[in-house]
Amino acid sequence: MNPIIEDYLRDVETSLRAPPEQKKLIVTELRGHLQEKLADLRAAAPDRADDDLAREVVRDLGNPHDLALAYTPEGGAVLKNSTGDTVLRVGKAVGRGAGKVLKYTAIGLAVLLVIGVGAGVWAYYEIKPLIEKNAPYPLYSIDPTCSHPCNTSQSQSFYVHPEAREVRMSLSAHGPGDFDERRPIHGTLHVLVTAPDGTVKYNHTFTALRSTHEEITWSAAQGDWTVAYRLESFEGALNVDVIAIGLPKDAWFD
Amino acid sequence: MVELSDVARFRDKMDRELKSGLVTLVLLLAIDRTGPDYGYRLLKTIQERSGGRLQFKEGTAYPLLQNLEKMGLITSFWSDGAGGPPRKYYQITDTGRRALDQALTDWRELTDGVHTTITSMDRKANPP
């Protein structure tokens, strides 16, 4: 499968607001479209580079975010036609006018709202400490972009509090250029993450790929963690975010 | 005096507004007349049958198909292509066929009305 098409489909899937199963079906349908069109273009122009054809194919389908958004349009009418029909049918069934049906419906909704607000207030005070304890606490972030070859090494550290349960790292790297003009990473990018006891938690060299995204979770170890980067003739962009989970709110300001 | 960019902008706006409902109508028509069929082939059929004059952004078609399905005008089923990826085939429902017939009648009345208006106000036939 062409990496440009797969990148595109990943972007659509990320932007879709739908249950995972539905997302999968939408992406499968779009993949079929892209594959068949790519094959048609390939047959019509066998001399053209495959990546060039793939770029044309995804461009014809449109911006991945816009496409995802079109599946789940925002807004809509305040009262749908089907709701209006229901109101009239209920009115007819109970022998009252639509106005009265709406009035009693509004009273019912108001009662439910009061109950809901009460339950919400109770839940807020009951669950608040739990939410606070699971809120992500940002530890570290870096997002360098090299549009010209970069050659550098650097090491940075972040401190993990004793009460933290987990450390999560989100790492994205991609080659230079805009989405549909993206070129593979040039040169190499080496990332090394070390825990306070010197254990190597992550050690990877990125080279020649168009884009990648990784989510890694470690159990927290108190102390100073180190992230070391080595860039050799690197052209592309990197984004690293590290968060801690499990800190009580008062520990945030230590 | 109207600048060329204003003309282009107006043409673009007209194009978008005219096509917004038209795409749904043409998709439903293609499903009825050539279906059951899957998205890519439906789009190709429309392009071929219109002699290349009806070209809309492919990305708009799939959410519209989903919407037509939610409205109960079409149904879909998955089928494995011969060695290819699975395809989602669309077919029209009875409600969809009735809605299409009505929409085509409305469309013909609308285009007739527009044609009659344009003809009756034609500059050559009615010089100022």
Side-chain angles (χ1 to χ4, degrees):
Chain A
M1 175 44 75
N2 188 289
I4 292 173
I5 288 180
E6 285 309 306
D7 279 356
Y8 179 87
L9 290 172
R10 202 174 305 121
D11 282 3
V12 173
E13 190 169 1
T14 309
S15 300
L16 275 170
R17 285 178 297 157
E21 270 309 303
Q22 200 187 340
K23 278 187 179 187
K24 217 173 275 177
L25 291 173
I26 290 172
V27 167
T28 303
E29 183 176 32
L30 295 176
R31 180 178 285 113
H33 174 104
L34 293 167
Q35 278 182 345
E36 189 162 347
K37 184 155 187 184
L38 182 65
D40 281 356
L41 289 182
R42 209 182 274 143
D47 294 338
R48 280 179 67 188
D50 224 38
D51 280 0
D52 193 25
L53 297 174
R55 267 191 284 275
E56 183 179 332
V57 165
V58 297
R59 197 176 300 130
D60 285 351
L61 208 52
N63 179 294
H65 180 69
D66 291 346
L67 174 58
L69 213 62
Y71 273 100
T72 46
E74 304 256 8
V78 175
L79 191 67
K80 289 182 190 170
N81 289 342
S82 55
T83 313
D85 290 345
T86 306
V87 168
L88 289 175
R89 272 204 299 276
V90 171
K92 200 174 168 188
V94 299
R96 295 181 198 277
K100 282 204 169 172
V101 172
L102 281 174
K103 182 181 155 190
Y104 289 123
T105 306
I107 292 169
L109 286 175
V111 171
L112 285 175
L113 183 69
V114 170
I115 294 169
V117 168
V121 170
W122 173 81
Y124 175 76
Y125 285 105
E126 282 294 310
I127 300 171
K128 190 180 165 201
L130 198 65
I131 293 172
E132 280 180 0
K133 202 158 182 179
N134 286 290
Y137 175 72
L139 293 175
Y140 170 78
S141 183
I142 189 168
D143 54 353
T145 300
C146 292
S147 47
H148 300 292
C150 294
N151 288 292
T152 181
S153 293
Q154 53 177 298
S155 180
Q156 291 165 340
S157 64
F158 56 86
Y159 176 73
V160 173
H161 192 275
E163 291 196 45
R165 282 197 321 277
E166 283 178 358
V167 173
R168 291 182 192 168
M169 180 173 86
S170 158
L171 184 149
S172 306
H174 64 75
D178 293 333
F179 174 78
D180 57 356
E181 299 288 336
R182 195 166 284 165
R183 301 185 297 280
I185 285 175
H186 184 264
T188 56
L189 161 67
H190 183 77
V191 182
L192 177 75
V193 180
T194 316
D197 63 356
T199 315
V200 173
K201 293 287 188 182
Y202 183 83
N203 185 0
H204 196 81
T205 302
F206 298 95
T207 182
L209 46 77
R210 275 196 177 74
S211 71
T212 183
H213 180 82
E214 295 179 31
E215 299 276 347
I216 307 141
T217 301
W218 302 293
S219 56
Q222 183 202 349
D224 288 318
W225 289 55
T226 310
V227 190
Y229 307 94
R230 195 174 70 246
L231 283 64
E232 290 165 0
S233 304
F234 174 74
E235 275 182 75
L238 170 72
N239 179 270
V240 177
D241 288 301
V242 180
I243 57 169
I245 302 289
L247 270 69
K249 201 173 181 184
D250 51 358
W252 284 31
F253 304 103
D254 280 0
Chain B
M1 171 152 172
V2 180
E3 296 293 327
L4 189 62
S5 60
D6 291 337
V7 173
R9 212 176 302 131
F10 175 74
R11 193 179 174 199
D12 186 51
K13 182 177 183 298
M14 283 284 291
D15 189 57
R16 260 184 289 121
E17 286 176 358
L18 283 173
K19 279 183 180 170
S20 64
L22 191 64
V23 179
T24 313
L25 175 67
V26 173
L27 269 174
L28 197 57
L29 181 70
I31 294 168
D32 181 44
R33 305 295 150 86
T34 66
D37 214 341
Y38 56 90
Y40 180 67
R41 231 165 37 194
L42 287 167
L43 292 174
K44 269 176 85 172
T45 302
I46 292 168
Q47 202 188 338
E48 284 164 15
R49 297 286 182 95
S50 69
R53 274 171 290 186
L54 269 185
Q55 285 187 1
F56 37 81
K57 215 163 192 181
E58 293 168 0
T60 58
Y62 289 96
L64 285 176
L65 286 168
Q66 188 196 50
N67 202 29
L68 286 173
E69 197 173 359
K70 275 186 189 162
M71 290 166 75
L73 303 187
I74 57 173
T75 55
S76 69
F77 61 90
W78 287 88
S79 177
D80 286 332
R87 301 288 188 198
K88 190 177 183 184
Y89 284 78
Y90 296 95
Q91 62 186 4
I92 199 159
T93 62
D94 288 341
T95 313
R97 204 164 282 124
R98 284 201 301 276
L100 174 64
D101 288 345
Q102 186 58 56
L104 287 174
T105 305
D106 293 345
W107 173 254
R108 286 185 191 112
E109 278 177 15
L110 179 73
T111 48
D112 282 354
V114 172
H115 181 72
T116 307
T117 310
I118 291 172
T119 310
S120 70
M121 293 184 180
D122 188 76
R123 285 206 188 107
K124 284 175 193 159
N126 304 287

